[in-house]
Structure formats: structure tokens, C-alpha cells
Amino acid sequence: MPFYGCLHPVNFFVGPKRDLPKILLCFLTLLVDHLGYGSDVPLSDQALELMTSSRLIDGHNDLPLKLRWLYQNKLSTVDLRTLDTTNTNIEKLTTGHVGAQFWSVYILCGAQNKDAVRLTLEQIDVVKQMCKSYEEFEMVTTTQDLENIPDNKIACLIGIEGGHAIDNSLAALRMYYELGVRYMGLTHTCNTPWAESSSKKVHKFYPKVKGLTAFGKEVVKEMNRMGMIIDLSHTSVATARSALSTSKAPVIFSHSSAFSVCNHSRNVPDEILRRLKRNKGIIMVSFSTTMLACGEETVSISTVADHFDHIKRIAGSGAIGIGSDYEGAKTFPEGLEDVSKYPALIEELLRRDWTESEVRGVLRDNLLRVFREVEQVRQDSSSENESEKEIPPEKLMHSCRLDLKKPVQTARSYGAPSWGQLSSLVVTLGVFVVFH
């Protein structure tokens, strides 16, 4: 800037530029410009200004599940603009400066080996219907779509929560991508035949599975090839370690927090955070009080910020996003009770001397970077064919699974009659003799 010419070495010592008040004023102006804001600007205003220009992309919201549980997916019976039975409605999303939301398509683990695919399709359908029915929403599937979303719209994206939704079928996984799904969690609270969950003794499915099996690695590779983001929330440490070693693209934890701050099995240990940094992936911090404070009675915005600070120390600010888990978790911190409250968290990060650039990364830029790199891996893999790997059918047989084979046809006989045919003939002749 021209005014900073007073700091040039020549001007500093020669001629009228040696005027001390002017030099001090120049230094002060440079300092204010470097800090970005004067001391008289409240942090709350600074947070709102940042969120207006960099609207939040939240990684995980379970509203579709609540719509099923409370309203049987009958959208005609609810008004999502003012819905008051959930933490989420359109008015609150707008107040919270949410620019994009990954809606979670979650099917309970009890559906594994039963009707998980049908239920997943129904949940995808309700998300698409929801986002088509309200002018405030717009479905998107690419980073270009995300970056071009108008300020008066909230972008809708779909993420599947739990690999049991594919029923061990890469074909089903590919069809989900065609329907608009852009991330999938490898597990929920149950093991699948190919991936181990972080939750122990919650379900009895496939207890011998450890980490990722060979087929599990094929799932990761196929997601890379398609351009679907790999979500490691709910996975065991062994599964996360294996996925990070296998994936060519950055991964996400869509709703997790730091294990070193709260040693909950759902949280991410420092070892994995360091691997995540090398992978260039991100962890989107959850607001679930259970995972934030490990049973402490009072959980505040400061508690959430503690997780941000720790992850920043271990993996860097570029490895962090927000994945609130509204509608999925049972309770939330004081001051973050619903989706309108995000600005309070951003204000707390600014209070802790997070820079504007770091905060913009948390709000959206870090997720956009991951998404772009996932799309780039898809483009680089365009010459690869669809994977035809599968788990041997005999290892998956259960009462709800049909092994499709060509029907065995019995050849029609034109020779001697069968015993059944002879029996029918004898009975018929006997009846004829008796009545005649």
C-alpha cells in the first residue's frame, strides 16, 4: 500500500520522511492491517462476518432419521422451516450460517443381513424429497456445486452412516454413488464381515473381524475409484489404520473428537491424528457431550474448543472441520443446543487466537480441499474398471440371502410313467369301477 512507503529504508532515514509521528502512525496502521480488526470490534461481530463470507459445511446431521422415527418419512405432515421437535429446522440453519449440510443416511445395525439396502434407499429418498420440496435447499454432488451455491440456498449432500448399508455388495455401493451419496462410514456400532467397529459388545455381528479384511480394502479402493469420501467415524483403531494405509485419497472422520481430551472409544487417538495429517484428511468435531467430556456434568462451548485446540496441536488446523451430530447425539453442550448456535463456537475459537484463515478452514475450506482431492483421485482412476471382487457366497449365507443360480430344470419324460402317475391312474380306474 502507498502509505507503507514510509517504512522503506531510504524514506526512513532521508528527507521529510524522518518525521517521527508519521513513522509511528505508519507502524500502527501496518499492525492493525496485520491483525485484521481493531480492538473495538466485538468477537461476536467478527465471528458473524466470517461466517457470512464463509458459510459452514457441517459433516453430519441425523435429521432424516428423526423424520423416519417421528413422522414415518411423511414430509407432508411437517413444516421443516419451523419444526420444533428437533434441534434442526431451516430457520435455525439460516441463523447458524449453515451453507451446506451432509445429511446422514443411517440404518440401525439390526437391519444388517436383513433389509438394510431397502431402508437405506428409503432414507436417501427422504433426503432427496426434502431438498426438492423446500426452495431454501438445493441438492449438490460436486465441489463446483458447493462453491457456486447461492447465498440464499443451503446445499444438501448425502452421507451413509455404516457399511452394513451395502450388504457386502460393491454393486450396491456404486448405485448409492449414482443416487448422490458422497461419503460412507465404513462401520457404525456393529462389525460388518469386512470391517471392525470401535464399539465393543454393542452387537454380536462378526466378532472375529479385526481391522479391514481383504474385501474391506477393496471397498476403500472402489470408493477411491468412484470419488466417494471414506468416513472413519465409528471405526476401530485397526480399521482406521488400515484404511489410511490403503486409501489414495484423503479421508474424513465425519463426527468424532479427540481421545486424549476424552478417552471415549468413538474418539480419535493421537496416533491416528498424526496419520490423518499425513493423509491430508480431516476430523470434523462432534458436539455429542458423551464424547466431549466423558461423563462430566457440565459441558460448555469451552469444552468443545479444547478438542479443537488439541487436534490443532497434533494434526494442524488444516485437519479440522465441524460434524455436529445434531439429531444423532442425545445431548449437546450449553450454548450449542441447536443448529443456530454455531457462531458461539467460532467466537470462542477467535477468543483463543485462532486466525481468520484457520477459522475459514474449519468452516468450509478444509472440507472443500478434501473433497477436491477425492474428485482428483476419481479423475486419475478413470481408466480403471469397476471392481468385481466379492466375499465368497458360502461365507455370507443366511436366511435372508438368496444365492442366485440358474434353476435346475427336470427333463420331461416321454417313457415309462412315474410312480405318481401310476398311482393317479389306479385311483381313477378304481372310482370308475365302483360307480359303474
Side-chain angles (χ1 to χ4, degrees), residues 6 36 73 110 113 117 147 153 155 184 212 245 280 293 364 403:
C6 64
N73 284 354
N113 298 337
V117 172
E147 291 171 320
K153 297 276 190 178
M184 184 180 78
L212 278 183
S245 298
K280 299 181 181 179
R364 63 187 291 115
D403 186 14

Side-chain angles (χ1 to χ4, degrees), residues 131-247:
C131 296
K132 185 177 72 173
S133 299
Y134 290 87
E135 62 182 5
E136 295 91 341
F137 287 147
E138 184 172 318
M139 283 295 307
V140 303
T141 56
T142 68
T143 53
Q144 184 176 355
D145 293 341
L146 270 174
E147 291 171 320
N148 292 334
I149 197 79
D151 291 340
N152 64 338
K153 297 276 190 178
I154 299 169
C156 294
L157 300 106
I158 301 174
I160 289 177
E161 186 173 14
H164 59 287
I166 69 171
D167 195 19
N168 310 301
S169 167
L170 295 180
L173 177 66
R174 289 190 285 268
M175 290 301 97
Y176 289 150
Y177 182 88
E178 294 298 323
L179 289 172
V181 174
R182 286 301 177 266
Y183 80 61
M184 184 180 78
L186 300 187
T187 68
H188 191 247
T189 57
C190 53
N191 289 358
T192 69
W194 46 270
E196 180 187 20
S197 168
S198 65
S199 299
K200 309 301 180 186
K201 299 180 181 180
V202 176
H203 297 279
K204 297 181 180 180
F205 294 105
Y206 309 103
K208 295 182 180 180
V209 172
K210 303 298 179 186
L212 278 183
T213 68
F215 183 77
K217 293 176 182 178
E218 284 299 319
V219 172
V220 168
K221 293 175 183 177
E222 189 68 353
M223 291 175 73
N224 283 169
R225 188 194 65 80
M226 289 189 300
M228 187 183 289
I229 301 169
I230 295 156
D231 176 18
L232 299 181
S233 284
H234 285 286
T235 63
S236 69
V237 171
T239 299
R241 190 184 295 127
S242 183
L244 284 162
S245 298
T246 303
S247 180

Side-chain angles (χ1 to χ4, degrees), residues 11 28 37 53 61 109 160 215 233 269 282 288 290 297 317 342 420:
N11 294 333
L28 180 60
Y37 281 83
S53 59
N61 186 302
C109 280
I160 289 177
F215 183 77
S233 284
I282 62 171
S288 167
T290 304
E297 292 185 6
S317 62
Y342 293 107

Side-chain angles (χ1 to χ4, degrees), residues 35-37 45-58 97 99 147 151 282 284 308 312 317-322 345-347 349-350 353-370 372:
L35 294 176
Y37 281 83
D45 290 351
Q46 186 179 349
L48 290 174
E49 185 172 335
L50 276 169
M51 297 190 75
T52 299
S53 59
S54 295
R55 292 193 299 155
L56 172 67
I57 301 174
D58 184 283
H97 294 274
E147 291 171 320
D151 291 340
I282 62 171
M284 309 184 83
F308 277 82
K312 179 181 174 181
S317 62
I320 311 176
I322 294 174
L345 172 61
I346 301 307
E347 180 181 345
L349 294 180
L350 292 170
D353 295 325
W354 284 58
T355 69
E356 288 188 14
S357 177
E358 289 172 335
V359 170
R360 292 183 192 279
V362 167
L363 288 169
R364 63 187 291 115
D365 290 349
N366 294 341
L367 186 281
L368 283 171
R369 172 185 54 77
V370 167
R372 283 191 208 97

